[in-house]
Amino acid sequence: GAYDMSTGLTGQKGSLGIAQIDEIAFDEVQRRIAAGNRMEKWVEPIKAATGTDIREVEYEDLTRDDINLIFARLYFMVSPRSIPKTVEGRAKLWKEIYNTSAGKGTVERYIDVVSESTR
């Protein structure tokens, strides 16, 4: 179901793609790129690497795994902190920034999924 778009209770588009990006996160990345802040510097390198101008990406384009993961990484840039080197550190950062306290995901589940995928 990762590539099936749903509509949330608030009328916004639900999570989409491999990184499960919701419309709120997508809109925030697009807003920051348009505002000319530090995310804007990634427009040209991403275009050179993928052929895609991220300023022109539509939410539905997040079904492409490369675009989906690019937007996930850009969303993590909302925080000035570096992505931790340990799985536990990344799990905590993911829970705080990406899933939030309101989200159903847990640090433990994140670690379990990473462990399962590296076996």
Side-chain angles (χ1 to χ4, degrees), residues 38 73 76-84 89 92-94 96-97:
R38 65 188 177 120
R73 179 61 182 102
F76 272 100
M77 288 181 179
V78 168
S79 169
R81 292 179 290 162
S82 299
I83 293 180
K92 289 177 181 176
L93 182 67
W94 166 80
E96 180 183 330
I97 295 172

Side-chain angles (χ1 to χ4, degrees), residues 87 108-119:
V87 172
E108 294 77 17
R109 178 69 179 137
Y110 180 105
I111 293 169
D112 289 345
V113 169
V114 170
S115 296
E116 290 170 12
S117 69
T118 58
R119 289 185 194 155

Side-chain angles (χ1 to χ4, degrees), residues 25 49 85 101 110:
K85 295 183 187 290
S101 61
Y110 180 105

Side-chain angles (χ1 to χ4, degrees), residues 46-60:
I46 291 169
K47 188 174 183 179
T50 66
T52 300
D53 186 332
I54 57 174
R55 295 170 295 196
E56 298 174 5
V57 169
E58 301 287 335
Y59 185 74
E60 291 75 12

Side-chain angles (χ1 to χ4, degrees), residues 13-62:
K13 296 172 185 167
S15 300
L16 182 63
I18 194 167
Q20 293 292 282
I21 299 173
D22 64 23
E23 191 174 25
I24 295 169
F26 175 79
D27 289 346
E28 180 62 15
V29 169
Q30 289 292 40
R31 185 190 69 74
R32 287 173 180 257
I33 291 167
N37 71 11
R38 65 188 177 120
M39 281 189 198
E40 184 184 31
K41 74 179 183 179
W42 295 105
V43 171
E44 288 307 317
I46 291 169
K47 188 174 183 179
T50 66
T52 300
D53 186 332
I54 57 174
R55 295 170 295 196
E56 298 174 5
V57 169
E58 301 287 335
Y59 185 74
E60 291 75 12
D61 296 329
L62 296 178

